[in-house]
Amino acid sequence: MMKFEVWNGDASRLRADCLVAGVFEGGELPDETRQIDKAAGGRIAALARRGDFAARSGDTLLLTDLPGLRASRVLLVGQGKRADLGRKPWRRAVHAAVVALAKTRIASAAFALARPVASELDDYWLARATAEITAAALYRVNDLKSGRKPRAAALARLLVGPVAASGTAAAKRGFGHGAAVGVGLGTLRDLANLPSNVCTPSYLAGAARKLAQRHPKTLRVRVLDERAIRRERMGCFLAVTRGSDEPPRFIVLEHRGGKAGSAPVVLVGKGITFDTGGISLKDPPAMDEMKFDMSGAATVIAALTVVSELALPLNVVGLVPTCENMPGGRATKPGDIVTSASGQTVEILNTDAEGRLILSDALHYARRFKPAAVIDIATLTGACVVALGAHHSGVMANDDALAQELVDCGRRADDRAWQLPLTEDYAEQLKSNFADMANVAGRDGGAITAGAFLGKFTKGLKWAHMDIAGTAYLSGAQKGSTGRPISLLSEFLIRRAAH
Ligand code: BES
Ligand code: MN
Ligand code: ZN
């Protein structure tokens, strides 16, 4: 576990293996770096003057054995143009610094980077974001390569500052929250990165059980098998799992941190451990990425991890319907009609629109908790990727205040989301000649018609839907889970617990 502390005073006097100092483009030095440079006889300023360090945001350069310092190394980090010093380049600089430190045997480092103004990044967020970024930068994928694993980073202690005495308590709180979010981030990415032949529905249930074992006083787990799912009459969920030989699971996690009887926040995560499309089979290109189709489920398990780590005074329920979507002799076929747990009938016109089917039964199940709010998280539509790309998660809701709360949390946590208009118009596109509704409504507005489908199962609940199809993972050379939207969701839960 990384140790975090704050520092204040003269940066050049800090005791650590390495001082992390910022440089602006054009060679200008922030105040903290000037203190270090002065003690070191002007070596940094001389280097900057020669133009050997461009100081673009995220550039790094390790210097060793500068005179006049207790630290044996100085890591210079480019902070871009001084005028542009906002949270984004600051985050990039911290990330780059941790990545560079992780390649060395440096065990302790003191961050003395220039900080954005307090309205952008106060002491609490300085600490929390540093802890979150550190966890993200040190994350190593749980790969199944047979060669020797690279040596773990030596980094074990980080000093962050300058933070005045008046800000110490806020920073400590920030470190605690950020470290917990970091644990959640690792949980989420580990689960999502695993291949579908390892991370099956039963494996996710096992992960939930293990988590509950670590928090026996506050966290309860229940796992419904296929028979129990049948007893709940989850006809939509069962229609999706039909084509697969892998048994489905419905996971219920309950964190009891709030007052007994106070209405919980219910989180629902899409847990398709592999989405072939079913009989409406997908095209081969990039089909392997459909192992990430359980990222919503991983987010929910990660959120319960964060809540448990922090012992948040809030009741939180996590619901995870999880199965595979496969073609097969018994698989659901286009045109098949099933009855959802809510009693509504659904004509399944496209078996590749399976996420909304398993979620609809889980959202109905959420009612029994009389929730204060229900939020589902799902890699639900390619249309959401077309609309928002990889930058914003999509938010839709039947309650504008809840949607705005999520958007606001995303902005604060630098894990952004954007609201799409879930007006009644979209639900009309789901009309069917043979059942209460169809599960698809054509190409136009696809992210929102998917939301509208879910909306038919959440009447009377305060409900929001997050489509993370574009944000949950990266493709190409950097293929892997991003850990989004755990920061956003953690912020939401931390705020709700503070009320
Ligand atoms: N899991 C996919 C959505 C998806 C697509 C996630 C691309 C990440 C990247 C979902 O189950 C799906 O197949 N949705 C269909 C819905 C369509 C048939 C209405 C889609 O988006 O094409
Ligand atoms: Mn699909
Ligand atoms: Zn899917």
Side-chain angles (χ1 to χ4, degrees), residues 152-214:
L155 199 62
R157 183 167 158 261
L158 280 185
L159 294 161
V160 179
V163 172
S166 59
T168 306
K172 280 204 174 124
R173 214 161 11 92
F175 286 138
H177 289 169
V181 176
V183 173
L185 187 85
T187 304
L188 195 173
R189 290 172 79 174
D190 276 348
L191 288 173
N193 282 329
L194 283 171
S196 72
N197 62 330
V198 175
C199 186
T200 59
S202 311
Y203 185 94
L204 284 178
R209 282 212 175 90
K210 242 187 248 149
L211 176 63
Q213 270 162 20
R214 280 206 294 279

Short mmCIF file of all heavy atoms in Angstrom, two decimals, residues 152-214:
data_model
loop_
_atom_site.label_atom_id
_atom_site.label_comp_id
_atom_site.label_asym_id
_atom_site.label_seq_id
_atom_site.Cartn_x
_atom_site.Cartn_y
_atom_site.Cartn_z
N ALA A 152 8.16 -5.38 -9.83
CA ALA A 152 7.21 -4.36 -9.37
C ALA A 152 7.96 -3.07 -9.08
O ALA A 152 9.14 -3.09 -8.72
CB ALA A 152 6.51 -4.85 -8.12
N ALA A 153 7.28 -1.93 -9.25
CA ALA A 153 7.90 -0.64 -8.95
C ALA A 153 8.29 -0.58 -7.48
O ALA A 153 7.64 -1.20 -6.63
CB ALA A 153 6.93 0.49 -9.28
N ALA A 154 9.39 0.15 -7.19
CA ALA A 154 9.85 0.26 -5.80
C ALA A 154 9.07 1.33 -5.03
O ALA A 154 9.07 1.35 -3.80
CB ALA A 154 11.35 0.58 -5.78
N LEU A 155 8.41 2.20 -5.76
CA LEU A 155 7.76 3.37 -5.18
C LEU A 155 6.77 2.98 -4.08
O LEU A 155 5.86 2.18 -4.30
CB LEU A 155 7.02 4.13 -6.29
CG LEU A 155 6.65 5.58 -6.01
CD1 LEU A 155 7.90 6.42 -5.77
CD2 LEU A 155 5.85 6.15 -7.17
N ALA A 156 6.98 3.51 -2.87
CA ALA A 156 6.14 3.11 -1.74
C ALA A 156 5.67 4.32 -0.92
O ALA A 156 4.80 4.18 -0.07
CB ALA A 156 6.91 2.16 -0.84
N ARG A 157 6.29 5.48 -1.17
CA ARG A 157 5.95 6.65 -0.34
C ARG A 157 5.96 7.91 -1.21
O ARG A 157 6.92 8.15 -1.94
CB ARG A 157 7.00 6.76 0.77
CG ARG A 157 6.75 7.87 1.75
CD ARG A 157 7.64 7.69 2.99
NE ARG A 157 7.79 8.96 3.66
CZ ARG A 157 8.85 9.76 3.54
NH1 ARG A 157 9.88 9.39 2.79
NH2 ARG A 157 8.89 10.91 4.17
N LEU A 158 4.90 8.67 -1.12
CA LEU A 158 4.80 9.90 -1.89
C LEU A 158 4.50 11.08 -0.99
O LEU A 158 3.56 11.03 -0.19
CB LEU A 158 3.69 9.80 -2.94
CG LEU A 158 3.98 9.04 -4.23
CD1 LEU A 158 2.80 9.16 -5.18
CD2 LEU A 158 5.24 9.58 -4.90
N LEU A 159 5.31 12.13 -1.12
CA LEU A 159 5.04 13.39 -0.43
C LEU A 159 4.40 14.33 -1.44
O LEU A 159 4.88 14.44 -2.57
CB LEU A 159 6.35 14.00 0.07
CG LEU A 159 7.06 13.20 1.14
CD1 LEU A 159 8.53 13.60 1.24
CD2 LEU A 159 6.38 13.44 2.47
N VAL A 160 3.32 14.99 -1.04
CA VAL A 160 2.60 15.85 -1.96
C VAL A 160 2.45 17.23 -1.35
O VAL A 160 2.11 17.37 -0.17
CB VAL A 160 1.21 15.26 -2.28
CG1 VAL A 160 0.43 16.16 -3.22
CG2 VAL A 160 1.36 13.87 -2.90
N GLY A 161 2.72 18.27 -2.15
CA GLY A 161 2.61 19.61 -1.62
C GLY A 161 2.93 20.64 -2.69
O GLY A 161 3.01 20.30 -3.86
N PRO A 162 3.11 21.92 -2.26
CA PRO A 162 3.00 22.34 -0.88
C PRO A 162 1.55 22.44 -0.41
O PRO A 162 0.70 22.92 -1.14
CB PRO A 162 3.64 23.73 -0.89
CG PRO A 162 3.45 24.23 -2.29
CD PRO A 162 3.46 23.03 -3.17
N VAL A 163 1.32 21.98 0.81
CA VAL A 163 0.01 22.08 1.43
C VAL A 163 0.20 22.77 2.78
O VAL A 163 0.94 22.27 3.63
CB VAL A 163 -0.64 20.69 1.64
CG1 VAL A 163 -1.91 20.80 2.46
CG2 VAL A 163 -0.94 20.04 0.29
N ALA A 164 -0.45 23.93 2.98
CA ALA A 164 -0.34 24.68 4.22
C ALA A 164 -0.98 23.88 5.37
O ALA A 164 -1.80 22.99 5.12
CB ALA A 164 -1.02 26.03 4.09
N ALA A 165 -0.59 24.22 6.61
CA ALA A 165 -1.11 23.50 7.78
C ALA A 165 -2.64 23.45 7.76
O ALA A 165 -3.25 22.43 8.10
CB ALA A 165 -0.62 24.15 9.06
N SER A 166 -3.26 24.55 7.30
CA SER A 166 -4.72 24.62 7.30
C SER A 166 -5.35 23.62 6.33
O SER A 166 -6.52 23.29 6.44
CB SER A 166 -5.16 26.03 6.92
OG SER A 166 -4.64 26.35 5.64
N GLY A 167 -4.58 23.12 5.39
CA GLY A 167 -5.13 22.20 4.40
C GLY A 167 -4.81 20.75 4.66
O GLY A 167 -5.24 19.86 3.91
N THR A 168 -4.07 20.49 5.74
CA THR A 168 -3.59 19.13 5.98
C THR A 168 -4.73 18.12 6.16
O THR A 168 -4.69 17.01 5.60
CB THR A 168 -2.68 19.11 7.23
OG1 THR A 168 -1.67 20.09 7.02
CG2 THR A 168 -2.03 17.76 7.40
N ALA A 169 -5.74 18.51 6.93
CA ALA A 169 -6.84 17.58 7.21
C ALA A 169 -7.57 17.23 5.92
O ALA A 169 -7.89 16.06 5.67
CB ALA A 169 -7.80 18.18 8.23
N ALA A 170 -7.84 18.25 5.10
CA ALA A 170 -8.54 18.01 3.83
C ALA A 170 -7.70 17.09 2.95
O ALA A 170 -8.23 16.17 2.31
CB ALA A 170 -8.81 19.33 3.12
N ALA A 171 -6.40 17.32 2.92
CA ALA A 171 -5.52 16.49 2.08
C ALA A 171 -5.52 15.04 2.58
O ALA A 171 -5.57 14.11 1.77
CB ALA A 171 -4.11 17.05 2.07
N LYS A 172 -5.50 14.87 3.89
CA LYS A 172 -5.52 13.50 4.43
C LYS A 172 -6.78 12.77 4.01
O LYS A 172 -6.75 11.60 3.64
CB LYS A 172 -5.43 13.53 5.96
CG LYS A 172 -4.01 13.75 6.44
CD LYS A 172 -3.81 13.22 7.85
CE LYS A 172 -2.33 13.33 8.21
NZ LYS A 172 -2.11 14.10 9.44
N ARG A 173 -7.91 13.49 4.07
CA ARG A 173 -9.17 12.90 3.63
C ARG A 173 -9.07 12.53 2.15
O ARG A 173 -9.50 11.46 1.72
CB ARG A 173 -10.31 13.90 3.87
CG ARG A 173 -11.60 13.27 4.23
CD ARG A 173 -12.60 14.23 4.92
NE ARG A 173 -12.26 15.63 4.90
CZ ARG A 173 -12.64 16.51 3.96
NH1 ARG A 173 -13.38 16.12 2.94
NH2 ARG A 173 -12.29 17.77 4.05
N GLY A 174 -8.48 13.43 1.39
CA GLY A 174 -8.32 13.19 -0.05
C GLY A 174 -7.47 11.96 -0.34
O GLY A 174 -7.81 11.16 -1.22
N PHE A 175 -6.37 11.80 0.41
CA PHE A 175 -5.52 10.61 0.21
C PHE A 175 -6.33 9.34 0.48
O PHE A 175 -6.24 8.35 -0.25
CB PHE A 175 -4.32 10.63 1.15
CG PHE A 175 -3.25 11.63 0.75
CD1 PHE A 175 -2.63 12.42 1.71
CD2 PHE A 175 -2.86 11.76 -0.58
CE1 PHE A 175 -1.64 13.34 1.36
CE2 PHE A 175 -1.87 12.67 -0.94
CZ PHE A 175 -1.26 13.46 0.03
N GLY A 176 -7.09 9.35 1.57
CA GLY A 176 -7.89 8.17 1.95
C GLY A 176 -8.89 7.81 0.87
O GLY A 176 -8.99 6.66 0.44
N HIS A 177 -9.62 8.83 0.41
CA HIS A 177 -10.62 8.59 -0.64
C HIS A 177 -9.94 8.13 -1.93
O HIS A 177 -10.37 7.18 -2.57
CB HIS A 177 -11.44 9.85 -0.89
CG HIS A 177 -12.37 10.18 0.24
ND1 HIS A 177 -13.05 11.38 0.33
CD2 HIS A 177 -12.75 9.47 1.33
CE1 HIS A 177 -13.81 11.38 1.42
NE2 HIS A 177 -13.64 10.24 2.04
N GLY A 178 -8.86 8.82 -2.30
CA GLY A 178 -8.17 8.50 -3.55
C GLY A 178 -7.58 7.10 -3.53
O GLY A 178 -7.63 6.38 -4.54
N ALA A 179 -7.03 6.70 -2.40
CA ALA A 179 -6.44 5.35 -2.30
C ALA A 179 -7.54 4.30 -2.46
O ALA A 179 -7.35 3.29 -3.14
CB ALA A 179 -5.72 5.18 -0.97
N ALA A 180 -8.70 4.54 -1.85
CA ALA A 180 -9.81 3.58 -1.97
C ALA A 180 -10.31 3.51 -3.41
O ALA A 180 -10.56 2.42 -3.93
CB ALA A 180 -10.95 3.98 -1.03
N VAL A 181 -10.44 4.66 -4.05
CA VAL A 181 -10.85 4.66 -5.46
C VAL A 181 -9.81 3.90 -6.29
O VAL A 181 -10.15 3.15 -7.21
CB VAL A 181 -11.03 6.10 -6.01
CG1 VAL A 181 -11.36 6.08 -7.50
CG2 VAL A 181 -12.13 6.82 -5.23
N GLY A 182 -8.53 4.07 -5.92
CA GLY A 182 -7.46 3.35 -6.61
C GLY A 182 -7.60 1.84 -6.48
O GLY A 182 -7.36 1.10 -7.44
N VAL A 183 -8.00 1.38 -5.31
CA VAL A 183 -8.23 -0.06 -5.12
C VAL A 183 -9.39 -0.52 -6.02
O VAL A 183 -9.32 -1.55 -6.69
CB VAL A 183 -8.53 -0.39 -3.64
CG1 VAL A 183 -8.94 -1.86 -3.48
CG2 VAL A 183 -7.32 -0.09 -2.77
N GLY A 184 -10.46 0.29 -6.03
CA GLY A 184 -11.60 -0.02 -6.89
C GLY A 184 -11.20 -0.07 -8.36
O GLY A 184 -11.61 -0.95 -9.11
N LEU A 185 -10.37 0.89 -8.75
CA LEU A 185 -9.89 0.96 -10.13
C LEU A 185 -9.16 -0.32 -10.52
O LEU A 185 -9.38 -0.88 -11.61
CB LEU A 185 -8.94 2.15 -10.26
CG LEU A 185 -8.43 2.51 -11.63
CD1 LEU A 185 -9.43 3.42 -12.32
CD2 LEU A 185 -7.08 3.19 -11.56
N GLY A 186 -8.31 -0.82 -9.63
CA GLY A 186 -7.57 -2.05 -9.91
C GLY A 186 -8.51 -3.24 -10.01
O GLY A 186 -8.36 -4.10 -10.88
N THR A 187 -9.50 -3.29 -9.11
CA THR A 187 -10.50 -4.37 -9.13
C THR A 187 -11.24 -4.38 -10.47
O THR A 187 -11.38 -5.42 -11.11
CB THR A 187 -11.52 -4.14 -7.99
OG1 THR A 187 -10.81 -4.06 -6.76
CG2 THR A 187 -12.55 -5.26 -7.93
N LEU A 188 -11.70 -3.20 -10.86
CA LEU A 188 -12.47 -3.08 -12.10
C LEU A 188 -11.63 -3.51 -13.29
O LEU A 188 -12.05 -4.32 -14.12
CB LEU A 188 -12.93 -1.63 -12.26
CG LEU A 188 -14.03 -1.28 -13.27
CD1 LEU A 188 -14.42 0.18 -13.12
CD2 LEU A 188 -13.65 -1.54 -14.71
N ARG A 189 -10.43 -2.97 -13.40
CA ARG A 189 -9.61 -3.25 -14.58
C ARG A 189 -9.19 -4.72 -14.62
O ARG A 189 -9.16 -5.31 -15.70
CB ARG A 189 -8.39 -2.32 -14.59
CG ARG A 189 -8.79 -0.87 -14.88
CD ARG A 189 -7.64 0.09 -14.69
NE ARG A 189 -6.72 0.10 -15.82
CZ ARG A 189 -5.70 0.95 -15.93
NH1 ARG A 189 -5.48 1.86 -14.99
NH2 ARG A 189 -4.89 0.89 -16.97
N ASP A 190 -8.86 -5.29 -13.47
CA ASP A 190 -8.50 -6.70 -13.44
C ASP A 190 -9.64 -7.58 -13.97
O ASP A 190 -9.44 -8.45 -14.81
CB ASP A 190 -8.16 -7.14 -12.01
CG ASP A 190 -6.70 -6.83 -11.65
OD1 ASP A 190 -5.93 -6.49 -12.57
OD2 ASP A 190 -6.35 -6.93 -10.46
N LEU A 191 -10.84 -7.33 -13.46
CA LEU A 191 -11.99 -8.15 -13.89
C LEU A 191 -12.26 -7.96 -15.38
O LEU A 191 -12.46 -8.92 -16.12
CB LEU A 191 -13.23 -7.79 -13.08
CG LEU A 191 -13.25 -8.25 -11.61
CD1 LEU A 191 -14.47 -7.66 -10.90
CD2 LEU A 191 -13.26 -9.77 -11.50
N ALA A 192 -12.26 -6.69 -15.81
CA ALA A 192 -12.64 -6.41 -17.20
C ALA A 192 -11.59 -6.92 -18.19
O ALA A 192 -11.93 -7.33 -19.29
CB ALA A 192 -12.87 -4.91 -17.38
N ASN A 193 -10.32 -6.89 -17.79
CA ASN A 193 -9.26 -7.32 -18.71
C ASN A 193 -9.19 -8.83 -18.90
O ASN A 193 -8.65 -9.31 -19.89
CB ASN A 193 -7.90 -6.81 -18.22
CG ASN A 193 -7.69 -5.33 -18.52
OD1 ASN A 193 -8.20 -4.82 -19.52
ND2 ASN A 193 -6.95 -4.64 -17.67
N LEU A 194 -9.70 -9.58 -17.94
CA LEU A 194 -9.63 -11.04 -18.05
C LEU A 194 -10.42 -11.54 -19.26
O LEU A 194 -11.46 -10.98 -19.60
CB LEU A 194 -10.18 -11.70 -16.77
CG LEU A 194 -9.26 -11.69 -15.56
CD1 LEU A 194 -10.02 -12.17 -14.33
CD2 LEU A 194 -8.02 -12.56 -15.80
N PRO A 195 -9.93 -12.61 -19.89
CA PRO A 195 -10.66 -13.17 -21.03
C PRO A 195 -11.93 -13.87 -20.56
O PRO A 195 -12.04 -14.25 -19.39
CB PRO A 195 -9.67 -14.18 -21.61
CG PRO A 195 -8.82 -14.60 -20.46
CD PRO A 195 -8.69 -13.38 -19.59
N SER A 196 -12.86 -14.07 -21.49
CA SER A 196 -14.17 -14.60 -21.10
C SER A 196 -14.12 -16.07 -20.70
O SER A 196 -15.03 -16.54 -20.03
CB SER A 196 -15.17 -14.41 -22.24
OG SER A 196 -14.86 -15.31 -23.29
N ASN A 197 -13.05 -16.78 -21.09
CA ASN A 197 -12.98 -18.18 -20.65
C ASN A 197 -12.49 -18.28 -19.20
O ASN A 197 -12.60 -19.32 -18.58
CB ASN A 197 -12.11 -19.03 -21.59
CG ASN A 197 -10.67 -18.55 -21.64
OD1 ASN A 197 -10.40 -17.36 -21.47
ND2 ASN A 197 -9.74 -19.45 -21.86
N VAL A 198 -11.96 -17.18 -18.66
CA VAL A 198 -11.61 -17.13 -17.24
C VAL A 198 -12.70 -16.39 -16.47
O VAL A 198 -13.24 -16.88 -15.49
CB VAL A 198 -10.24 -16.42 -17.03
CG1 VAL A 198 -9.94 -16.27 -15.54
CG2 VAL A 198 -9.13 -17.18 -17.75
N CYS A 199 -13.01 -15.18 -16.94
CA CYS A 199 -14.01 -14.36 -16.25
C CYS A 199 -15.40 -14.72 -16.73
O CYS A 199 -15.98 -14.06 -17.59
CB CYS A 199 -13.72 -12.88 -16.47
SG CYS A 199 -14.81 -11.84 -15.49
N THR A 200 -15.93 -15.79 -16.16
CA THR A 200 -17.28 -16.27 -16.47
C THR A 200 -18.26 -15.68 -15.46
O THR A 200 -17.83 -15.06 -14.48
CB THR A 200 -17.30 -17.81 -16.33
OG1 THR A 200 -16.92 -18.12 -14.97
CG2 THR A 200 -16.32 -18.47 -17.29
N PRO A 201 -19.55 -15.87 -15.65
CA PRO A 201 -20.51 -15.43 -14.63
C PRO A 201 -20.18 -16.00 -13.24
O PRO A 201 -20.25 -15.27 -12.23
CB PRO A 201 -21.84 -15.95 -15.15
CG PRO A 201 -21.66 -15.93 -16.64
CD PRO A 201 -20.24 -16.34 -16.88
N SER A 202 -19.79 -17.27 -13.17
CA SER A 202 -19.45 -17.87 -11.87
C SER A 202 -18.20 -17.21 -11.28
O SER A 202 -18.09 -17.06 -10.07
CB SER A 202 -19.17 -19.37 -12.03
OG SER A 202 -20.20 -19.97 -12.76
N TYR A 203 -17.26 -16.81 -12.15
CA TYR A 203 -16.06 -16.14 -11.67
C TYR A 203 -16.41 -14.79 -11.05
O TYR A 203 -15.90 -14.43 -9.98
CB TYR A 203 -15.07 -15.95 -12.83
CG TYR A 203 -13.74 -15.37 -12.42
CD1 TYR A 203 -12.66 -16.20 -12.13
CD2 TYR A 203 -13.56 -13.99 -12.30
CE1 TYR A 203 -11.43 -15.67 -11.73
CE2 TYR A 203 -12.35 -13.45 -11.91
CZ TYR A 203 -11.29 -14.29 -11.63
OH TYR A 203 -10.08 -13.76 -11.24
N LEU A 204 -17.31 -14.05 -11.70
CA LEU A 204 -17.74 -12.75 -11.14
C LEU A 204 -18.42 -12.97 -9.79
O LEU A 204 -18.20 -12.20 -8.85
CB LEU A 204 -18.70 -12.05 -12.11
CG LEU A 204 -18.07 -11.39 -13.35
CD1 LEU A 204 -19.16 -10.78 -14.22
CD2 LEU A 204 -17.07 -10.31 -12.94
N ALA A 205 -19.24 -14.03 -9.70
CA ALA A 205 -19.90 -14.33 -8.43
C ALA A 205 -18.85 -14.63 -7.37
O ALA A 205 -18.98 -14.20 -6.21
CB ALA A 205 -20.85 -15.50 -8.61
N GLY A 206 -17.81 -15.37 -7.75
CA GLY A 206 -16.71 -15.67 -6.82
C GLY A 206 -16.01 -14.39 -6.35
O GLY A 206 -15.67 -14.26 -5.17
N ALA A 207 -15.81 -13.46 -7.27
CA ALA A 207 -15.17 -12.19 -6.91
C ALA A 207 -16.03 -11.42 -5.91
O ALA A 207 -15.51 -10.83 -4.95
CB ALA A 207 -14.92 -11.35 -8.17
N ALA A 208 -17.33 -11.45 -6.12
CA ALA A 208 -18.25 -10.77 -5.20
C ALA A 208 -18.21 -11.44 -3.82
O ALA A 208 -18.21 -10.77 -2.78
CB ALA A 208 -19.67 -10.79 -5.77
N ARG A 209 -18.18 -12.77 -3.81
CA ARG A 209 -18.13 -13.52 -2.54
C ARG A 209 -16.85 -13.19 -1.79
O ARG A 209 -16.87 -12.98 -0.58
CB ARG A 209 -18.17 -15.02 -2.82
CG ARG A 209 -19.55 -15.54 -3.13
CD ARG A 209 -19.73 -16.98 -2.63
NE ARG A 209 -21.11 -17.40 -2.85
CZ ARG A 209 -21.53 -17.99 -3.96
NH1 ARG A 209 -20.68 -18.24 -4.95
NH2 ARG A 209 -22.80 -18.32 -4.10
N LYS A 210 -15.72 -13.14 -2.51
CA LYS A 210 -14.44 -12.84 -1.87
C LYS A 210 -14.47 -11.45 -1.25
O LYS A 210 -13.99 -11.24 -0.14
CB LYS A 210 -13.31 -12.92 -2.92
CG LYS A 210 -12.29 -14.01 -2.58
CD LYS A 210 -11.10 -13.98 -3.51
CE LYS A 210 -11.06 -15.20 -4.40
NZ LYS A 210 -10.46 -14.96 -5.71
N LEU A 211 -15.05 -10.51 -1.97
CA LEU A 211 -15.15 -9.14 -1.46
C LEU A 211 -15.96 -9.12 -0.17
O LEU A 211 -15.58 -8.48 0.81
CB LEU A 211 -15.79 -8.24 -2.53
CG LEU A 211 -16.06 -6.80 -2.12
CD1 LEU A 211 -14.76 -6.08 -1.80
CD2 LEU A 211 -16.81 -6.06 -3.23
N ALA A 212 -17.08 -9.84 -0.17
CA ALA A 212 -17.94 -9.86 1.02
C ALA A 212 -17.22 -10.51 2.20
O ALA A 212 -17.41 -10.11 3.35
CB ALA A 212 -19.23 -10.60 0.70
N GLN A 213 -16.37 -11.50 1.90
CA GLN A 213 -15.62 -12.14 2.99
C GLN A 213 -14.64 -11.17 3.65
O GLN A 213 -14.36 -11.27 4.84
CB GLN A 213 -14.83 -13.35 2.44
CG GLN A 213 -15.63 -14.64 2.49
CD GLN A 213 -15.04 -15.71 1.57
OE1 GLN A 213 -13.87 -15.62 1.19
NE2 GLN A 213 -15.85 -16.68 1.21
N ARG A 214 -14.13 -10.23 2.85
CA ARG A 214 -13.19 -9.24 3.41
C ARG A 214 -13.91 -8.22 4.30
O ARG A 214 -13.26 -7.53 5.07
CB ARG A 214 -12.46 -8.51 2.28
CG ARG A 214 -11.29 -9.30 1.70
CD ARG A 214 -10.26 -8.37 1.08
NE ARG A 214 -10.75 -7.66 -0.09
CZ ARG A 214 -10.81 -8.18 -1.31
NH1 ARG A 214 -10.41 -9.41 -1.52
NH2 ARG A 214 -11.26 -7.48 -2.32
#
